[in-house]
Amino acid sequence: MLDITSILPAKHKRTASGWISFNAVCCEHNGDSRDKRQRGGIKQNGEDWSYHCFNCGYKASFKLGRTLSFKTRKLLSWFGVDQPTIQAMNLESLKRKDMAQLVEDRAKPKIENIQFNDVELPEELRLIEETDTKYVNYLESRAVDPGDYPYMISPDQKGRQAERIVIPYTYEDRIVGYTSRYLDDRKPKFISEQQPGYVFGTDLQQEHWTQAIVVEGIFDALSLNCLALLHNDINDRQARLLKSLRKDITVVPDQDEAGLKLIDRAVELGFAVSIPNWADDVKDVNDAVKRYGRLGTLITIMTARETSKIKIELAKKQLVKRINVKK
Ligand SMILES: [Zn+2]
């Protein structure tokens, strides 16, 4: 594995707290002026490391066993690491996943016995780059940042396989499935490799968050760091997984016929439900993020959050009216 300290600028110093500081390499790429006050820092933990710039605020990290994020790859290129080395580093990291996992498993005992099998991603895939315009544009049209998740593509392949963005499904940072969103306007739009009881987005949740929002679709989840059921029901295994998160769960159904059933199921499981009074053409969280932004959407969801069965029933009746008007 590439030793991060070997690519740092010659002029650097180690601080007592374990940071290695040097002139940051990120700022001029982010519209800031070049750092001359050694405000870039790297902290290592075994082979893992994290980078933080106290000048422009850029952050990136590396963790053995995981794919390199868009931001980490950008950072490495600013340090002068070439693309083949970055791709090789990514591959080596993934190959050493099992070992890294073993170390992690010993470090934290599992409380819940919820497990998914590891799944291999198709070999022809590579991580999306900024220059993959067609794919980047699609993600941006869905109000998600292409750098926020390890989106994969296979543009060199011919036919339908190439015209897709592959979104890995992870659970405890291991790849346990994936979905392909095809961009060729043919049906089906999505084809997925999915294990029963899987809920997308558990790895997007921060430990200190007390609330977790549950939505139907993957882009709803990606655009707001939510959990996605990946259909319009909550099966028993998914319910168990959601409860194991020990967070306050709020289910936000799509505002259509299928969403109505999801409301009933959420009530049955004792989850809170939120049915915000969005504009008529906003029918799910992804539409809402496009219209109101992340924070605006979050506010509409938390304001409309109901835990009482009676109030949820009332909100559902209002929704039925709105759906009927739209028809
Ligand atoms: Zn910077």
Side-chain angles (χ1 to χ4, degrees), residues 28-47:
E28 63 262 41
H29 302 282
N30 298 316
D32 261 281
S33 52
R34 186 183 281 268
D35 172 32
K36 291 176 184 148
R37 293 185 293 152
Q38 303 208 26
R39 302 196 70 190
I42 288 265
K43 196 171 193 174
Q44 281 179 292
N45 178 12
E47 292 192 67

Side-chain angles (χ1 to χ4, degrees), residues 11 40 68 85 114-115 117 122 137 139 170 212 234 236 273 294:
K11 196 181 157 200
L68 298 184
T85 308
I114 293 171
Q115 283 176 344
N117 299 323
N137 288 348
L139 290 170
T170 69
I234 308 172
D236 290 342
V273 175
R294 281 190 177 203

Side-chain angles (χ1 to χ4, degrees), residues 24 26-27 30 51 53 55-58:
C26 42
C27 319
N30 298 316
Y51 173 90
C53 172
N55 192 40
C56 73
Y58 197 84

Side-chain angles (χ1 to χ4, degrees), residues 1-7 47 49 62 76 81 85 89 92:
M1 187 57 61
L2 177 82
D3 176 9
I4 188 71
T5 58
S6 71
I7 60 167
E47 292 192 67
W49 50 262
F62 171 75
L76 289 167
V81 182
T85 308
M89 192 176 164
E92 193 187 340

Side-chain angles (χ1 to χ4, degrees), residues 1-5 7 19 41-52 58-73 75-76 79 85-97 99-100 104 127 173:
M1 187 57 61
L2 177 82
D3 176 9
I4 188 71
T5 58
I7 60 167
W19 285 91
I42 288 265
K43 196 171 193 174
Q44 281 179 292
N45 178 12
E47 292 192 67
D48 301 345
W49 50 262
S50 53
Y51 173 90
H52 192 119
Y58 197 84
K59 280 187 225 169
S61 61
F62 171 75
K63 201 167 182 340
L64 195 65
R66 295 192 195 173
T67 58
L68 298 184
S69 74
F70 202 49
K71 291 185 100 175
T72 302
R73 285 178 290 136
L75 177 71
L76 289 167
F79 271 121
T85 308
I86 293 174
Q87 291 279 349
M89 192 176 164
N90 189 47
L91 214 66
E92 193 187 340
S93 177
L94 284 175
K95 277 187 189 149
R96 292 175 61 184
K97 182 172 65 178
M99 208 182 74
E104 213 165 274
L127 288 161
D173 293 316

